[in-house]
Amino acid sequence: MSTRVDIPKGKKLNKYGDLENLELTAEDWITRWEKKHIGFHKDEIHRLLQKYLPNILNGRKQISIFLPLCGKSLDIKWLHDQGHNVVGVEISKTAIEEFFTEQNVSYTQDLVPEIPGAEVFKSSDHRISLYNCNIFNFSSLIAGKFDGIWDSKSLVAINPPDRQRYVKHMTTLMAEGCCYLLDSCTFNQDQIVGPSCNIRLMESLDALTQQQISWGLDSFIEEIYLIK
Ligand code: SAH
């Protein structure tokens, strides 16, 4: 006798066999981290960040770089080690704690008075600050505007109905001369064309691996954009 699982509309079975919403809420992301369902995390520094960092820097040294939806990316520590000030925002406290523990960076933890319920985790040299809050509650009043932005799988992690709002929100965090490096996959370009930004596709590559094949995809194109 075979058993059939009815999958409700708007949900899918993830690779762990759990029913998951197609559009992830903040709570869903927090649960994913708690259950260690973090297939998106890579234990390596992003190759394309290393390649295109000079485009973010544009000749500048020791700049402030923002990583929206940063997870526990190794890129945070790498950018810090290059001499930059790094600010990240991440909804999962587990992710932030794991970052500091796994990277062996000592830190302090404080409340952020401007954002109810938010906390900031700072490295002891104060050059890494990771804010545990929703990106939409984070503003330039908290940590100023940034000289550079590294967006790795962040725009794509935002639910499609919120992407336009996310793009507008990110432009409010860009200082004069800010360079925004975006790692994404093919999506509707209309959603990233901002009135004040110049967008250049730097590289487009076939990034199909077993991971995407297991999601049922037969093509997966990674794209790197530089936005000024
Ligand atoms: N940039 C990281 C993680 C990408 S996955 C990397 O390249 O590894 C997206 C991350 O965004 C997850 O860690 C998730 O917990 C976080 N996230 C999702 N929605 C968020 C929101 N609204 N505000 C802040 N963080 C969010």
Side-chain angles (χ1 to χ4, degrees):
M1 202 174 77
S2 69
T3 43
R4 212 187 59 136
V5 183
D6 283 320
I7 301 176
K9 205 167 164 246
K11 298 203 173 213
K12 65 168 184 186
L13 275 187
N14 66 22
K15 66 174 176 171
Y16 310 98
D18 292 343
L19 263 186
E20 206 170 70
N21 295 324
L22 287 176
E23 292 193 0
L24 301 185
T25 63
E27 284 308 315
D28 293 332
W29 281 105
I30 291 168
T31 309
R32 276 189 89 130
W33 275 98
E34 280 164 3
K35 290 187 167 180
K36 302 198 187 302
H37 292 181
I38 51 166
F40 52 82
H41 174 75
K42 298 283 173 278
D43 271 321
E44 58 195 22
I45 297 145
H46 201 301
R47 186 182 66 82
L48 296 168
L49 171 63
Q50 298 182 65
K51 179 169 176 186
Y52 291 110
L53 180 61
N55 294 81
I56 297 184
L57 296 179
N58 215 0
R60 301 169 298 176
K61 292 198 168 65
Q62 297 178 346
I63 65 168
S64 64
I65 303 184
F66 183 52
L67 282 77
L69 284 64
C70 60
K72 58 171 179 177
S73 166
L74 270 53
D75 304 342
I76 301 168
K77 177 78 170 21
W78 184 74
L79 287 168
H80 164 271
D81 293 348
Q82 307 286 308
H84 306 295
N85 285 315
V86 186
V87 174
V89 167
E90 168 56 54
I91 197 84
S92 161
K93 189 190 271 198
T94 307
I96 296 179
E97 287 170 344
E98 287 183 8
F99 166 78
F100 283 104
T101 312
E102 291 171 13
Q103 299 309 312
N104 250 317
V105 177
S106 54
Y107 64 96
T108 53
Q109 194 174 338
D110 285 301
L111 292 175
V112 182
E114 298 89 344
I115 314 172
E119 283 183 293
V120 57
F121 295 66
K122 285 191 191 224
S123 60
S124 37
D125 66 3
H126 285 209
R127 287 202 294 105
I128 298 179
S129 305
L130 303 186
Y131 288 82
N132 179 214
C133 64
N134 193 311
I135 185 72
F136 292 111
N137 293 334
F138 185 81
S139 79
S140 59
L141 299 175
I142 316 290
K145 295 189 180 197
F146 301 99
D147 304 317
I149 299 181
W150 168 227
D151 185 315
S152 166
K153 299 170 234 126
S154 313
L155 174 62
V156 289
I158 296 284
N159 290 325
D162 296 327
R163 283 191 190 151
Q164 200 80 55
R165 181 174 161 222
Y166 172 81
V167 172
K168 276 212 181 102
H169 189 57
M170 294 306 291
T171 56
T172 68
L173 298 171
M174 295 169 76
E176 190 74 35
C178 175
C179 296
Y180 186 132
L181 189 65
L182 170 69
D183 175 27
S184 190
C185 42
T186 37
F187 62 93
N188 181 354
Q189 271 207 47
D190 296 344
Q191 292 170 329
I192 62 161
V193 178
S196 53
C197 292
N198 166 309
I199 299 170
R200 200 163 117 210
L201 176 63
M202 308 296 282
E203 191 167 328
S204 170
L205 56 146
D206 183 355
L208 186 71
T209 67
Q210 278 308 324
Q211 189 180 25
Q212 286 81 32
I213 292 170
S214 75
W215 301 337
L217 299 183
D218 59 9
S219 108
F220 192 75
I221 311 292
E222 185 170 9
E223 291 174 340
I224 291 284
Y225 291 88
L226 187 68
I227 302 163
K228 291 191 182 178

